[in-house]
Amino acid sequence: MQSSLQMPQAICDGGKLGLQLGPRCHARSSLHRHSAQSQACFSGQQQSHHAHTQRRAPSRRHLMAAAAAATVASPPSSAAQDPPMRVEQNVGVLLLNLGGPETLDDVQPFLYNLFADPDIIRLPSYASFLQPAVAKVISTLRAPKSSEGYRAIGGGSPLRTITLEQADALSEALERKGQPANVYVAMRYWRPFTEDAIAQVKADGVKKLVVLPLYPQFSISTSGSSLRLLESLFKEDPALSGLLHTVIPSWYHRPGYITAMSDLIQEELVKFPHQESVEIFFSAHGVPKSYVEEAGDPYKAEMEECIQFIMADLRKRGISNHHTLAYQSRVGPVEWLKPYTDDSIRMLGQQGCQSMLAVPVSFVSEHIETLEEMDMEYRELAEESGIQHWRRVPALNTNPVFVDDLADAVLEALPFAGSMAGSNPSDAMVPLGDVEALLETYDKERRVLPMPLTQWKWGWTQSAETWNGRIAMIAIVVVLILEVVTGQGVLSGRLE
């Protein structure tokens, strides 16, 4: 059976399975979130984790009230003349997120899962067999440093707790709007794993599923990675062939998200002594530049448009402060999207900026990148750079305006579960269609990260040094693997 994981609307009938993506939406659903026991296996290196199943079923009274309310409820779109919304049965909403270690002992295995994902570290095809070893080495080397960060914010990531709270809030919002649903949390690299969530979707008999990545902007390294995993799970399990579904690829343009972000910015601005001179500093998670320029990732374009929408809304409120967009959290020697957050902070300090309001624009939940990287590292850097007044806008978390609009997005997407793509236009940059077609457009060749220099030159050149460095890195990895396997120092005996 062939299968396609589909975007904003898709084909999904008896012979073809499609994970579909609805127009841009925000989700709300009745209740249900879960994580079950599972194992995560990546290319020969296995990390097994048991997850506790958490779910709440809507009461009969709530279901009857929701059904009654639905007979008079207006559809989520603004057209008052539209017919009343039809209450769907056995509806599910799948929230996709990254995941994070809940204890310090979880840090290394979490990092392994992260770096074992070929959508995070893309090795050349001839070196793909090294992915587990590379993930093991990088996660082992980075774990002590990362553990310091998690220790500084209380010993673990709050992402799971906050995402479960978002699932509850979305469930309640959907029920208020007359559409009961089960809301599931599916993390990519930690508990509750995506595999567990899909198993629970099957067990609950869900007939229509709205897949909602909790990333406002689409990227092949975030939403794309989770959708690839979902596609694989759908292809492997014939029992999922009857599940109608739709995927909301990104939703940074939605009015509720824009309004909620503007509200939070405005609330923080008034706390500065001179509001009009505050630099509104948007800091987004970075991605390698090659993902955008070579693989066609729409992330940068969507991020820039998102900032335009927020600033336009702020100007309507009489706020015309100067703003900056920069990218944080880069890893490794390759070039990532610029300008970098740390470089931009230093530059603004040199230019005489005295007040800065940091805005975590690509994060909807508090986690290590907001609580430690922004609140501690970047704040300290800002003070060292001469910036005297620093504040940070909180993440959206369960902001009611934000959650309410997510629920509307789910309701808007639900009619497209299993329908043909293209029946409703979307103002998103990510086109309607299936995920295979999306990745064919934006990530057709799944290119590896680009070489610093593409042409080989003989002699003592930068190109030669680059290749020498790569060969040396492979040799180091091989040595480390041998030492891990044998338990002995491979080089020590030869150096004595």
Side-chain angles (χ1 to χ4, degrees):
M1 177 182 297
Q2 291 184 347
S3 137
S4 63
L5 193 58
Q6 310 215 8
M7 291 216 40
Q9 318 166 141
I11 303 170
C12 185
D13 54 29
K16 186 163 184 173
L17 165 68
L19 183 57
Q20 306 175 355
L21 303 127
R24 295 290 191 93
C25 309
H26 285 215
R28 288 184 195 193
S29 358
S30 166
L31 15 135
H32 193 96
R33 57 192 192 183
H34 99 291
S35 72
Q37 295 184 343
S38 77
Q39 292 184 336
C41 245
F42 294 93
S43 307
Q45 171 74 23
Q46 184 172 358
Q47 301 288 351
S48 297
H49 313 290
H50 295 288
H52 176 67
T53 301
Q54 294 175 300
R55 63 179 179 181
R56 294 185 313 178
S59 67
R60 180 177 179 84
R61 176 176 58 82
H62 284 159
L63 289 175
M64 294 178 63
T71 62
V72 296
S74 299
S77 59
S78 59
Q81 67 273 23
D82 288 347
M85 183 185 74
R86 176 176 177 270
V87 178
E88 301 282 356
Q89 302 299 319
N90 300 321
V91 170
V93 179
L94 187 68
L95 301 181
L96 305 181
N97 212 332
L98 185 77
E102 298 173 76
T103 69
L104 296 180
D105 291 337
D106 297 337
V107 173
Q108 189 277 326
F110 165 76
L111 291 175
Y112 175 86
N113 292 343
L114 178 70
F115 293 120
D117 181 1
D119 281 314
I120 298 298
I121 293 184
R122 295 190 172 186
L123 298 177
S125 57
Y126 60 79
S128 60
F129 70 95
L130 289 173
Q131 187 94 35
V134 170
K136 181 67 174 179
V137 171
I138 295 177
S139 62
T140 300
L141 294 176
R142 288 182 61 90
K145 174 70 172 177
S146 296
S147 295
E148 292 179 10
Y150 285 107
R151 186 177 290 106
I153 63 172
S157 173
L159 188 59
R160 177 179 179 172
T161 298
I162 294 173
T163 307
L164 291 174
E165 291 172 351
Q166 290 170 328
D168 278 346
L170 181 57
S171 173
E172 294 166 2
L174 280 169
E175 188 167 356
R176 288 196 305 270
K177 291 176 181 286
Q179 178 57 70
N182 294 333
V183 180
Y184 306 84
V185 170
M187 299 296 193
R188 183 66 179 89
Y189 305 114
W190 204 244
R191 308 181 187 99
F193 291 108
T194 303
E195 294 89 340
D196 300 331
I198 291 300
Q200 194 64 51
V201 167
K202 286 176 54 181
D204 292 341
V206 171
K207 300 302 182 184
K208 284 192 174 183
L209 183 70
V210 176
V211 180
L212 177 60
L214 288 178
Y215 309 106
Q217 304 82 16
F218 179 88
S219 174
I220 58 178
S221 63
T222 53
S223 302
S225 176
S226 288
L227 293 177
R228 283 189 188 280
L229 176 57
L230 282 177
E231 183 174 48
S232 174
L233 295 174
F234 274 46
K235 285 181 177 179
E236 294 170 358
D237 192 345
L240 294 171
S241 60
L243 178 61
L244 304 179
H245 54 272
T246 184
V247 179
I248 302 169
S250 58
W251 36 268
Y252 65 92
H253 66 294
R254 290 195 58 86
Y257 171 73
I258 300 300
T259 298
M261 291 296 295
S262 297
D263 288 346
L264 293 175
I265 292 172
Q266 189 171 18
E267 290 171 7
E268 293 299 318
L269 277 175
V270 299
K271 300 175 183 178
F272 285 87
H274 303 288
Q275 176 180 335
E276 66 284 350
S277 63
V278 176
E279 180 77 17
I280 300 178
F281 189 88
F282 294 97
S283 187
H285 193 286
V287 300
K289 185 178 178 181
S290 62
Y291 282 23
V292 174
E293 295 190 349
E294 295 189 20
D297 196 332
Y299 178 74
K300 181 175 183 289
E302 291 198 349
M303 182 60 67
E304 291 173 351
E305 188 176 55
C306 174
I307 302 307
Q308 293 174 9
F309 290 155
I310 295 174
M311 292 307 301
D313 189 64
L314 289 174
R315 283 192 291 273
K316 291 179 182 178
R317 306 176 184 213
I319 298 171
S320 56
N321 294 55
H322 189 270
H323 73 278
T324 296
L325 168 62
Y327 297 91
Q328 66 182 80
S329 308
R330 67 185 186 275
V331 178
V334 299
E335 185 175 3
W336 286 49
L337 290 181
K338 291 182 177 180
Y340 299 140
T341 293
D342 51 357
D343 291 344
S344 297
I345 291 174
R346 293 188 188 96
M347 182 186 68
L348 287 168
Q350 292 171 359
Q351 294 174 351
C353 175
Q354 297 293 306
S355 301
M356 178 176 291
L357 176 60
V359 184
V361 68
S362 58
F363 313 108
V364 299
S365 309
E366 300 289 2
H367 63 305
I368 192 167
E369 291 180 73
T370 59
L371 299 173
E372 195 273 336
E373 192 170 3
M374 295 187 74
D375 286 356
M376 298 179 187
E377 295 182 26
Y378 291 143
R379 177 170 188 157
E380 181 178 352
L381 177 60
E383 293 172 350
E384 293 173 352
S385 301
I387 298 171
Q388 298 180 5
H389 306 286
W390 163 282
R391 300 194 68 87
R392 189 207 17 119
V393 169
L396 290 166
N397 294 333
T398 56
N399 179 285
V401 174
F402 163 61
V403 173
D404 190 72
D405 194 47
L406 279 184
D408 287 340
V410 168
L411 295 176
E412 292 166 14
L414 193 57
F416 297 100
S419 64
M420 291 292 292
S423 60
N424 188 39
S426 169
D427 58 355
M429 289 186 178
V430 177
L432 302 181
D434 61 42
V435 168
E436 289 179 354
L438 174 78
L439 298 177
E440 179 76 9
T441 300
Y442 289 115
D443 198 20
K444 181 177 181 180
E445 299 179 16
R446 288 180 57 78
R447 293 181 174 92
V448 299
L449 298 180
M451 303 295 186
L453 293 175
T454 58
Q455 184 177 6
W456 173 266
K457 295 180 181 180
W458 291 99
W460 190 259
T461 64
Q462 185 178 354
S463 178
E465 292 182 68
T466 298
W467 279 101
N468 289 339
R470 288 200 176 89
I471 294 170
M473 178 57 69
I474 293 176
I476 291 172
V477 170
V478 171
V479 169
L480 289 172
I481 293 172
L482 291 174
E483 292 191 352
V484 170
V485 172
T486 64
Q488 299 178 353
V490 174
L491 296 178
S492 59
R494 291 163 176 75
L495 294 177
E496 292 178 352

